[in-house]
Amino acid sequence: MTNDSRFGQQAAGRTQSRRGVLKMMGGTALGLGSLALRPRGARAATRNLRFWTSQTAPAQMAAWTEIFNAFQAEHPDVSVSVEKYSDDTLWQSLSAAYAADDTPDLVSYVQAYTVATLQSDGLVVPMDDVIKAVGEDDFFPAARDIYKQNGSYFAATLNNQTSSNLWYRTDLFEAAGLEPPRYWDELLAAAKKLTKGDIYGNTLPYGRTSMADTMMVMFVRQSGGHIVHPDLSVAFDSPETVAALEFLKEIYQYAPPGAASYSWGETVNAFITGRTACAPYTGRPIYLIHDKNPALEGKFHRVPYPHRRDGVAAYDSPFNSLFIPSKSHNVELAKQLAIWLFRKDNQIKVLHTAPGHNLPVLKSVATSKAFFDNPLIQAHKGDVEGMIETTSQSTNLVQEGPGFPYNLKAGSIINSHVLSETLQSVVVDGVSPKQAASQGADKIAKVMKD
Amino acid sequence: MRLKTSDSLIGVAFITPAATLFLLLVAYPLFQSILISFSAINTMTLKGHYVGLANYLDILQDQEFWRTLVNTLIWTAGSLVLQVLLGVGFALLLHRAFPGRALARSLVLFPYLLSTAVAVLVWRWLFNDLYGILNYGLVHIGLIERPIAWLSRMPEAMISVILVGAWKFFPFVVIALLARLQTIPLQLYEAARIDGASAVARFWDITLPQLSGVLAVVVLLRSIWDFKEFDLVYLMTGGGPGIGTQTLPILVYREAFPQLHLGKGAAIAVVMLLVMLVFMLLYLRQSARGDER
């Protein structure tokens, strides 16, 4: 055998081997191709339910996993995947999902005004059977009826919270000889007195964000005004709105310098890091201070957010919803998952992941020993009970008060950021509160008309 | 010379994939965008109707559009000028021989290689009003008494965005100019030195004219890219405070998604396209001149 022939044999062997590899690759490609072309049901034995949530802190993810694992154990052909969205970009994410016909099957923690707008466009599935299965009478009426229209429920409140709390530093207030404020003028005086050195007297979100938008609704209502009249004409251009803007402008000088871009994160961070004497927020400071800054433990409390002295005690809640997008491919299964989430044990698991932040909407949960059986909720029992009381009095822009019809444009108003833009025009651009209220009203009217 | 039929078919076969991709990925979306811009369409439901030029008339009468256009021009021009100044400076520096030059040439690319989201996150922390090192340093050395709201006040927010944009994108200018600098004949500098030309004179009379062709292309390309830049500005300020740093791409996004006005968003995008078309024509003209040379 010559060298050449050996080389030829080796070369032939390599060629053969290369051919083998190519054949294998071709076979794999064909196999994958045929798999991709097979009908959906035939491709996978399990059906996947896509669950959207904004609550994905490690403890919350652990709770979702535990709850969904148990659901999957009862439904072996189903898998549940948790997908995160951000509160500030929810609307954009939803728009893209609907436009691409790629919606999740069950969405959680979306605020009432957004779901109302989706409902007005026929983009959600009725959930009457879910509410009935959970027990219609077990819901707190406000939490249940916020999603009731023409006798039918188009979503369900999974749990609730409110940012209409003023968290304040008891040590700083006591040292300054101040009582917790009940009215705006008292809050303003406290903010002025407590702004010293590294500490800012008060923090509020002035950014063009959802927090500032929802807080603006609260401020206008606390001033005695409304965003729309009961006939849904725009009520924003009013002396009450001007008074609210004047107050917000005045107290702005005692806020951190970057407050004009503050949203949820910045507002709560300013409080839990001890850089502000008071701030509005949900119940999150209870566990955030415990986890991140224990030095402040025992030095803070909450009161209902102060209101204008001749205004009204008005509070705002998001009514964290569960809804099923109309483009879901698994509606019945999504309803079963929704009912599963309302089981008492699952409710408490979720509520305990963020003690004090999320509050019960089922009476059976709110009065249960199991709900209060949590060290942080126990330690802040008064604050938690106070927040449950506040949420029971809360409303939302979708229905500003008794006698008001359902405002299906509430979501469009909030998501257009008209309200926070109005606030920013006063504190950043120096527009007068009167002119800003007038300009804001024109913009709201345009949104209502669109 | 006439081509054989088989040659023509081969030619068609070669061009078909590229033409198909062009039609699918460029022509069709462009045609769709223009079509949508003449309609009022809800982004969620994708339902709508033909409105003719109403979207265009609406945006041209909208003060927010004009303010946003001005913002876009300020951002583009400000960022571009700084990128060119930094780019030329660093390219000249890195062209000189010094120990560690290879490492320095690699490091200068760092901002360009870094993901925009990560870069913005870092800069936002640096600018933070309560915990940012920038404010901390300035207060500590006594230059300011209270922290500056870098991202929440005007014009600070626009200045901050322009600075970060220049930092992020100047390495592109460096790469392009450095490549050109290495091809300038050294004899030109030697002759100039013999004639007694100073360093400044050599830069103005030799380096700059030699760089001008590349510099023109770089400026035009970066103008187009900066004009349509979305992520950096959006992540830095979200267009705020108010609409102080809102640029046209952000306005398109806001109209199409939060406001659900897909048609109006498309109309703004088409107007943007027309503006960029001017830059593109200049670029093509410049490229053609380069080819002729």
Side-chain angles (χ1 to χ4, degrees), chain A residues 192-223:
Chain A
K192 190 176 178 182
K193 197 166 182 182
L194 294 170
T195 301
K196 273 183 202 160
D198 279 353
I199 306 277
Y200 295 90
N202 178 60
T203 292
L204 273 168
Y206 289 89
R208 193 178 184 273
T209 63
S210 61
M211 186 178 187
D213 285 295
T214 48
M215 293 292 292
M216 262 304 288
V217 176
M218 181 195 78
F219 281 115
V220 172
R221 296 204 43 239
Q222 286 188 328
S223 184

Side-chain angles (χ1 to χ4, degrees), chain B residues 170-217:
Chain B
F170 88 92
F172 176 79
V173 184
V174 176
I175 300 166
L177 296 188
L178 199 54
R180 179 68 184 97
L181 278 173
Q182 287 167 1
T183 64
I184 301 175
L186 290 174
Q187 298 91 316
L188 294 175
Y189 292 103
E190 282 165 16
R193 263 196 212 98
I194 291 165
D195 289 343
S198 67
V200 176
R202 290 200 298 275
F203 173 76
W204 282 109
D205 296 332
I206 301 172
T207 310
L208 208 54
Q210 292 284 333
L211 290 181
S212 62
V214 174
L215 205 54
V217 172

